[in-house]
């Protein structure tokens, strides 16, 4: 018999230490980012938020500012739309936790900039294995319809492979749906 335990997003288990690396995956607006922030706030008073989003229009700029404000004090924000492994490497320090939000936007940025996805993935996997508390957020894109365009299918394929490779090297993996996290690993 298997028992799945779903914990409310706003009530992290404070007595359980955060694993060295945690991947949180789920659909859009599932509560992944909120879960990552709550885990980080329970783990350390010094927190770094590595943002991969870029503000290409006013709506996105407002969204980014709203999220920055919602995080509040106690957070240092670093922007890394392309150079994510370097930003993580520089941010992993004893006594603080690093949240990366999100791998999906990072992958999209890499594809748009025509960067090598395999090379970037290898660099990311190498930095995940470094000592330090790290939480990565990523979208699960394999639960929907097959995209209509070749670019959409290529993105979905890259995202699926990236999620699998990151999940393999992370100490903990959670899937968030409807605001409830399920521990996968």
């Amino acid at each position: 018999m298997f028992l799945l335990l779903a914990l409310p997003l706003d009530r992290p288990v404070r007595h359980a230490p955060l694993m060295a690396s945690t991947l949180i995956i789920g659909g859009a607006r599932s509560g992944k980012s909120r879960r990552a922030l709550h885990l980080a706030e329970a783990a350390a008073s010094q927190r770094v938020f590595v943002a991969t989003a870029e503000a290409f229009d006013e709506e996105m700029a407002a969204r980014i500012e709203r999220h920055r404000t919602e995080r509040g004090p106690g957070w240092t924000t670093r922007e890394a739309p392309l150079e994510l492994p370097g930003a993580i490497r520089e941010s992993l320090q004893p006594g603080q936790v690093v949240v990366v939000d999100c791998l999906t936007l990072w992958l999209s940025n890499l594809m748009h900039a025509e960067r090598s996805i395999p090379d970037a993935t290898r660099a990311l996997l190498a930095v995940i294995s470094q000592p330090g508390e790290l939480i990565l957020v990523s979208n699960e894109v394999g639960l929907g319809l097959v995209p209509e365009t070749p670019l959409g299918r290529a993105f979905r394929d890259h995202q699926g492979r990236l999620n699998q490779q990151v999940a393999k090297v992370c100490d903990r993996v959670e899937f968030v749906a409807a605001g409830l996290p399920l521990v996968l690993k």
Side-chain angles (χ1 to χ4, degrees):
M1 174 191 274
F2 293 97
L3 175 66
L4 293 175
L5 176 63
L7 300 172
L9 292 175
D10 59 348
R11 298 193 56 211
V13 178
R14 295 193 184 273
H15 64 277
L18 182 66
M19 302 298 275
S21 57
T22 300
L23 172 64
I24 301 176
I25 62 172
R29 306 306 295 168
S30 63
K32 313 178 292 297
S33 296
R34 188 165 33 124
R35 175 68 176 161
L37 296 178
H38 285 293
L39 287 175
E41 289 168 354
S45 60
Q46 294 182 333
R47 301 173 294 272
V48 177
F49 187 89
V50 181
T52 60
E54 293 183 277
F56 290 116
D57 56 44
E58 289 182 26
E59 184 274 336
M60 190 61 170
R63 181 182 292 257
I64 289 169
E65 185 56 36
R66 185 176 65 249
H67 288 297
R68 186 183 301 251
T69 301
E70 288 171 356
R71 283 192 298 275
W75 285 93
T76 300
T77 301
R78 294 191 64 163
E79 311 242 346
L82 291 170
E83 305 303 330
L84 181 58
I88 295 170
R89 187 177 299 106
E90 293 169 7
S91 300
L92 286 174
Q93 301 294 326
Q96 70 183 25
V97 62
V98 177
V99 173
V100 174
D101 198 354
C102 77
L103 296 181
T104 307
L105 288 175
W106 176 65
L107 175 63
S108 176
N109 296 340
L110 292 173
M111 290 179 71
H112 181 73
E114 298 182 354
R115 298 275 185 99
S116 168
I117 305 304
D119 290 347
T121 300
R122 278 191 291 277
L124 177 65
L125 297 175
V127 79
I128 290 172
S129 65
Q130 289 187 336
E133 301 293 335
L134 176 63
I135 303 170
L136 302 127
V137 176
S138 190
N139 285 0
E140 173 54 62
V141 297
L143 298 175
L145 300 172
V146 174
E148 292 182 17
T149 66
L151 179 60
R153 289 188 294 276
F155 176 78
R156 186 243 1 234
D157 293 348
H158 285 305
Q159 185 69 62
R161 283 191 289 273
L162 177 64
N163 285 348
Q164 289 179 51
Q165 291 174 301
V166 170
K168 185 175 182 179
V169 300
C170 280
D171 299 303
R172 181 179 179 91
V173 179
E174 293 184 6
F175 180 80
V176 177
L180 298 172
L182 299 172
V183 176
L184 303 178
K185 173 182 174 186

mmCIF file of all heavy atoms in Angstrom, residues 104 107-108 111 117 138-164:
data_model
loop_
_atom_site.group_PDB
_atom_site.id
_atom_site.type_symbol
_atom_site.label_atom_id
_atom_site.label_comp_id
_atom_site.label_asym_id
_atom_site.label_seq_id
_atom_site.Cartn_x
_atom_site.Cartn_y
_atom_site.Cartn_z
ATOM 1 N N THR A 104 11.760 26.819 -17.081
ATOM 2 C CA THR A 104 10.994 26.877 -18.326
ATOM 3 C C THR A 104 11.297 28.164 -19.084
ATOM 4 O O THR A 104 11.530 28.139 -20.299
ATOM 5 C CB THR A 104 9.491 26.760 -18.025
ATOM 6 O OG1 THR A 104 9.281 25.598 -17.224
ATOM 7 C CG2 THR A 104 8.681 26.654 -19.297
ATOM 8 N N LEU A 107 14.882 28.021 -20.435
ATOM 9 C CA LEU A 107 14.960 27.223 -21.652
ATOM 10 C C LEU A 107 14.435 28.012 -22.851
ATOM 11 O O LEU A 107 15.045 28.027 -23.928
ATOM 12 C CB LEU A 107 14.177 25.919 -21.492
ATOM 13 C CG LEU A 107 14.077 25.043 -22.734
ATOM 14 C CD1 LEU A 107 15.447 24.562 -23.174
ATOM 15 C CD2 LEU A 107 13.151 23.870 -22.466
ATOM 16 N N SER A 108 13.330 28.692 -22.681
ATOM 17 C CA SER A 108 12.775 29.522 -23.751
ATOM 18 C C SER A 108 13.771 30.600 -24.170
ATOM 19 O O SER A 108 13.974 30.855 -25.367
ATOM 20 C CB SER A 108 11.468 30.155 -23.276
ATOM 21 O OG SER A 108 10.948 31.024 -24.246
ATOM 22 N N MET A 111 16.567 29.006 -26.214
ATOM 23 C CA MET A 111 16.131 28.691 -27.572
ATOM 24 C C MET A 111 16.045 29.960 -28.417
ATOM 25 O O MET A 111 16.496 29.977 -29.569
ATOM 26 C CB MET A 111 14.804 27.947 -27.549
ATOM 27 C CG MET A 111 14.922 26.531 -26.992
ATOM 28 S SD MET A 111 13.348 25.656 -26.924
ATOM 29 C CE MET A 111 13.050 25.378 -28.686
ATOM 30 N N ILE A 117 21.334 23.912 -26.198
ATOM 31 C CA ILE A 117 20.571 23.386 -25.058
ATOM 32 C C ILE A 117 21.363 22.289 -24.340
ATOM 33 O O ILE A 117 21.447 22.306 -23.103
ATOM 34 C CB ILE A 117 19.182 22.883 -25.503
ATOM 35 C CG1 ILE A 117 18.408 23.977 -26.249
ATOM 36 C CG2 ILE A 117 18.390 22.351 -24.318
ATOM 37 C CD1 ILE A 117 18.208 25.264 -25.518
ATOM 38 N N SER A 138 10.099 24.452 -12.254
ATOM 39 C CA SER A 138 9.970 24.185 -13.681
ATOM 40 C C SER A 138 8.555 23.755 -14.012
ATOM 41 O O SER A 138 7.877 23.141 -13.183
ATOM 42 C CB SER A 138 10.957 23.087 -14.107
ATOM 43 O OG SER A 138 11.005 22.969 -15.508
ATOM 44 N N ASN A 139 8.118 24.067 -15.220
ATOM 45 C CA ASN A 139 6.790 23.642 -15.662
ATOM 46 C C ASN A 139 6.837 22.229 -16.204
ATOM 47 O O ASN A 139 7.783 21.847 -16.902
ATOM 48 C CB ASN A 139 6.261 24.563 -16.764
ATOM 49 C CG ASN A 139 5.806 25.893 -16.232
ATOM 50 O OD1 ASN A 139 5.865 26.167 -15.046
ATOM 51 N ND2 ASN A 139 5.353 26.732 -17.118
ATOM 52 N N GLU A 140 5.809 21.479 -15.901
ATOM 53 C CA GLU A 140 5.603 20.164 -16.520
ATOM 54 C C GLU A 140 4.744 20.417 -17.753
ATOM 55 O O GLU A 140 3.590 20.805 -17.629
ATOM 56 C CB GLU A 140 4.905 19.213 -15.546
ATOM 57 C CG GLU A 140 4.512 17.892 -16.160
ATOM 58 C CD GLU A 140 5.652 17.172 -16.841
ATOM 59 O OE1 GLU A 140 6.625 16.812 -16.161
ATOM 60 O OE2 GLU A 140 5.587 16.983 -18.071
ATOM 61 N N VAL A 141 5.328 20.231 -18.931
ATOM 62 C CA VAL A 141 4.607 20.544 -20.171
ATOM 63 C C VAL A 141 4.142 19.296 -20.904
ATOM 64 O O VAL A 141 3.565 19.396 -21.975
ATOM 65 C CB VAL A 141 5.464 21.422 -21.118
ATOM 66 C CG1 VAL A 141 5.762 22.762 -20.471
ATOM 67 C CG2 VAL A 141 6.739 20.702 -21.516
ATOM 68 N N GLY A 142 4.353 18.128 -20.337
ATOM 69 C CA GLY A 142 4.020 16.887 -21.028
ATOM 70 C C GLY A 142 2.623 16.364 -20.773
ATOM 71 O O GLY A 142 2.304 15.264 -21.201
ATOM 72 N N LEU A 143 1.783 17.115 -20.094
ATOM 73 C CA LEU A 143 0.452 16.619 -19.763
ATOM 74 C C LEU A 143 -0.635 17.125 -20.704
ATOM 75 O O LEU A 143 -1.783 16.741 -20.578
ATOM 76 C CB LEU A 143 0.095 17.024 -18.319
ATOM 77 C CG LEU A 143 1.000 16.456 -17.236
ATOM 78 C CD1 LEU A 143 0.629 17.027 -15.877
ATOM 79 C CD2 LEU A 143 0.928 14.951 -17.212
ATOM 80 N N GLY A 144 -0.260 17.983 -21.643
ATOM 81 C CA GLY A 144 -1.254 18.570 -22.539
ATOM 82 C C GLY A 144 -1.203 17.962 -23.928
ATOM 83 O O GLY A 144 -0.625 16.900 -24.163
ATOM 84 N N LEU A 145 -1.778 18.673 -24.847
ATOM 85 C CA LEU A 145 -1.813 18.255 -26.241
ATOM 86 C C LEU A 145 -0.442 18.402 -26.879
ATOM 87 O O LEU A 145 0.383 19.208 -26.448
ATOM 88 C CB LEU A 145 -2.827 19.090 -27.016
ATOM 89 C CG LEU A 145 -4.277 19.011 -26.537
ATOM 90 C CD1 LEU A 145 -5.121 20.033 -27.278
ATOM 91 C CD2 LEU A 145 -4.824 17.614 -26.715
ATOM 92 N N VAL A 146 -0.218 17.661 -27.956
ATOM 93 C CA VAL A 146 1.005 17.818 -28.722
ATOM 94 C C VAL A 146 0.941 19.180 -29.415
ATOM 95 O O VAL A 146 -0.059 19.496 -30.073
ATOM 96 C CB VAL A 146 1.148 16.681 -29.764
ATOM 97 C CG1 VAL A 146 2.351 16.916 -30.661
ATOM 98 C CG2 VAL A 146 1.262 15.330 -29.061
ATOM 99 N N PRO A 147 1.971 20.018 -29.261
ATOM 100 C CA PRO A 147 1.944 21.337 -29.900
ATOM 101 C C PRO A 147 1.803 21.230 -31.421
ATOM 102 O O PRO A 147 2.300 20.290 -32.035
ATOM 103 C CB PRO A 147 3.298 21.948 -29.517
ATOM 104 C CG PRO A 147 3.694 21.231 -28.270
ATOM 105 C CD PRO A 147 3.165 19.831 -28.424
ATOM 106 N N GLU A 148 1.155 22.227 -32.012
ATOM 107 C CA GLU A 148 0.886 22.218 -33.451
ATOM 108 C C GLU A 148 2.095 22.563 -34.305
ATOM 109 O O GLU A 148 2.179 22.139 -35.455
ATOM 110 C CB GLU A 148 -0.237 23.217 -33.776
ATOM 111 C CG GLU A 148 -1.581 22.820 -33.231
ATOM 112 C CD GLU A 148 -2.661 23.818 -33.620
ATOM 113 O OE1 GLU A 148 -2.441 24.621 -34.553
ATOM 114 O OE2 GLU A 148 -3.720 23.790 -32.990
ATOM 115 N N THR A 149 3.030 23.340 -33.766
ATOM 116 C CA THR A 149 4.144 23.829 -34.578
ATOM 117 C C THR A 149 5.435 23.067 -34.274
ATOM 118 O O THR A 149 5.616 22.542 -33.166
ATOM 119 C CB THR A 149 4.391 25.321 -34.307
ATOM 120 O OG1 THR A 149 4.837 25.475 -32.951
ATOM 121 C CG2 THR A 149 3.123 26.143 -34.538
ATOM 122 N N PRO A 150 6.354 23.044 -35.246
ATOM 123 C CA PRO A 150 7.658 22.408 -34.980
ATOM 124 C C PRO A 150 8.396 23.058 -33.811
ATOM 125 O O PRO A 150 9.001 22.356 -33.001
ATOM 126 C CB PRO A 150 8.419 22.615 -36.299
ATOM 127 C CG PRO A 150 7.355 22.716 -37.342
ATOM 128 C CD PRO A 150 6.218 23.440 -36.652
ATOM 129 N N LEU A 151 8.331 24.402 -33.701
ATOM 130 C CA LEU A 151 8.986 25.083 -32.581
ATOM 131 C C LEU A 151 8.358 24.664 -31.251
ATOM 132 O O LEU A 151 9.062 24.394 -30.280
ATOM 133 C CB LEU A 151 8.913 26.604 -32.752
ATOM 134 C CG LEU A 151 9.538 27.432 -31.628
ATOM 135 C CD1 LEU A 151 11.019 27.115 -31.476
ATOM 136 C CD2 LEU A 151 9.319 28.921 -31.885
ATOM 137 N N GLY A 152 7.037 24.589 -31.215
ATOM 138 C CA GLY A 152 6.346 24.158 -30.002
ATOM 139 C C GLY A 152 6.714 22.736 -29.604
ATOM 140 O O GLY A 152 6.923 22.440 -28.427
ATOM 141 N N ARG A 153 6.791 21.856 -30.594
ATOM 142 C CA ARG A 153 7.175 20.466 -30.293
ATOM 143 C C ARG A 153 8.627 20.384 -29.829
ATOM 144 O O ARG A 153 8.951 19.633 -28.904
ATOM 145 C CB ARG A 153 6.926 19.576 -31.508
ATOM 146 C CG ARG A 153 5.438 19.345 -31.779
ATOM 147 C CD ARG A 153 5.199 18.314 -32.869
ATOM 148 N NE ARG A 153 5.661 18.742 -34.181
ATOM 149 C CZ ARG A 153 4.965 19.495 -35.025
ATOM 150 N NH1 ARG A 153 3.759 19.935 -34.690
ATOM 151 N NH2 ARG A 153 5.463 19.827 -36.210
ATOM 152 N N ALA A 154 9.508 21.168 -30.452
ATOM 153 C CA ALA A 154 10.915 21.177 -30.033
ATOM 154 C C ALA A 154 11.035 21.680 -28.591
ATOM 155 O O ALA A 154 11.776 21.101 -27.783
ATOM 156 C CB ALA A 154 11.746 22.054 -30.975
ATOM 157 N N PHE A 155 10.288 22.742 -28.261
ATOM 158 C CA PHE A 155 10.319 23.265 -26.898
ATOM 159 C C PHE A 155 9.835 22.210 -25.907
ATOM 160 O O PHE A 155 10.471 21.968 -24.885
ATOM 161 C CB PHE A 155 9.473 24.533 -26.767
ATOM 162 C CG PHE A 155 9.401 25.028 -25.360
ATOM 163 C CD1 PHE A 155 10.457 25.724 -24.810
ATOM 164 C CD2 PHE A 155 8.302 24.755 -24.565
ATOM 165 C CE1 PHE A 155 10.412 26.160 -23.496
ATOM 166 C CE2 PHE A 155 8.245 25.186 -23.253
ATOM 167 C CZ PHE A 155 9.301 25.889 -22.724
ATOM 168 N N ARG A 156 8.702 21.585 -26.217
ATOM 169 C CA ARG A 156 8.155 20.563 -25.324
ATOM 170 C C ARG A 156 9.153 19.424 -25.125
ATOM 171 O O ARG A 156 9.362 18.942 -24.013
ATOM 172 C CB ARG A 156 6.844 20.026 -25.913
ATOM 173 C CG ARG A 156 6.088 19.065 -25.022
ATOM 174 C CD ARG A 156 5.884 17.636 -25.512
ATOM 175 N NE ARG A 156 6.428 17.272 -26.773
ATOM 176 C CZ ARG A 156 5.731 16.716 -27.769
ATOM 177 N NH1 ARG A 156 4.446 16.532 -27.628
ATOM 178 N NH2 ARG A 156 6.324 16.360 -28.881
ATOM 179 N N ASP A 157 9.814 19.007 -26.184
ATOM 180 C CA ASP A 157 10.800 17.930 -26.091
ATOM 181 C C ASP A 157 11.995 18.346 -25.237
ATOM 182 O O ASP A 157 12.446 17.587 -24.364
ATOM 183 C CB ASP A 157 11.266 17.503 -27.479
ATOM 184 C CG ASP A 157 10.167 16.838 -28.296
ATOM 185 O OD1 ASP A 157 9.107 16.493 -27.723
ATOM 186 O OD2 ASP A 157 10.363 16.683 -29.520
ATOM 187 N N HIS A 158 12.518 19.545 -25.483
ATOM 188 C CA HIS A 158 13.644 20.040 -24.673
ATOM 189 C C HIS A 158 13.252 20.160 -23.205
ATOM 190 O O HIS A 158 14.015 19.797 -22.312
ATOM 191 C CB HIS A 158 14.125 21.412 -25.172
ATOM 192 C CG HIS A 158 14.919 21.376 -26.435
ATOM 193 N ND1 HIS A 158 16.047 20.604 -26.603
ATOM 194 C CD2 HIS A 158 14.747 22.054 -27.597
ATOM 195 C CE1 HIS A 158 16.547 20.797 -27.804
ATOM 196 N NE2 HIS A 158 15.771 21.669 -28.442
ATOM 197 N N GLN A 159 12.045 20.681 -22.948
ATOM 198 C CA GLN A 159 11.590 20.858 -21.564
ATOM 199 C C GLN A 159 11.446 19.516 -20.860
ATOM 200 O O GLN A 159 11.844 19.365 -19.710
ATOM 201 C CB GLN A 159 10.265 21.620 -21.514
ATOM 202 C CG GLN A 159 9.801 21.926 -20.096
ATOM 203 C CD GLN A 159 10.681 22.939 -19.410
ATOM 204 O OE1 GLN A 159 10.790 24.069 -19.853
ATOM 205 N NE2 GLN A 159 11.316 22.565 -18.324
ATOM 206 N N GLY A 160 10.878 18.545 -21.536
ATOM 207 C CA GLY A 160 10.732 17.218 -20.948
ATOM 208 C C GLY A 160 12.077 16.598 -20.609
ATOM 209 O O GLY A 160 12.268 16.034 -19.530
ATOM 210 N N ARG A 161 13.038 16.708 -21.541
ATOM 211 C CA ARG A 161 14.377 16.154 -21.272
ATOM 212 C C ARG A 161 15.057 16.906 -20.132
ATOM 213 O O ARG A 161 15.695 16.298 -19.271
ATOM 214 C CB ARG A 161 15.228 16.203 -22.541
ATOM 215 C CG ARG A 161 14.877 15.115 -23.548
ATOM 216 C CD ARG A 161 15.898 15.021 -24.667
ATOM 217 N NE ARG A 161 15.843 16.155 -25.575
ATOM 218 C CZ ARG A 161 15.044 16.240 -26.634
ATOM 219 N NH1 ARG A 161 14.217 15.247 -26.917
ATOM 220 N NH2 ARG A 161 15.083 17.304 -27.402
ATOM 221 N N LEU A 162 14.934 18.243 -20.130
ATOM 222 C CA LEU A 162 15.545 19.037 -19.054
ATOM 223 C C LEU A 162 14.971 18.642 -17.701
ATOM 224 O O LEU A 162 15.722 18.391 -16.738
ATOM 225 C CB LEU A 162 15.323 20.530 -19.317
ATOM 226 C CG LEU A 162 15.836 21.490 -18.240
ATOM 227 C CD1 LEU A 162 17.356 21.406 -18.122
ATOM 228 C CD2 LEU A 162 15.396 22.920 -18.561
ATOM 229 N N ASN A 163 13.650 18.547 -17.607
ATOM 230 C CA ASN A 163 13.030 18.154 -16.334
ATOM 231 C C ASN A 163 13.508 16.784 -15.877
ATOM 232 O O ASN A 163 13.782 16.574 -14.690
ATOM 233 C CB ASN A 163 11.506 18.163 -16.451
ATOM 234 C CG ASN A 163 10.920 19.558 -16.444
ATOM 235 O OD1 ASN A 163 11.593 20.534 -16.141
ATOM 236 N ND2 ASN A 163 9.654 19.656 -16.808
ATOM 237 N N GLN A 164 13.600 15.828 -16.794
ATOM 238 C CA GLN A 164 14.051 14.487 -16.423
ATOM 239 C C GLN A 164 15.486 14.504 -15.908
ATOM 240 O O GLN A 164 15.791 13.853 -14.896
ATOM 241 C CB GLN A 164 13.966 13.547 -17.625
ATOM 242 C CG GLN A 164 12.550 13.187 -18.022
ATOM 243 C CD GLN A 164 12.527 12.285 -19.231
ATOM 244 O OE1 GLN A 164 13.227 11.269 -19.255
ATOM 245 N NE2 GLN A 164 11.739 12.644 -20.227
#
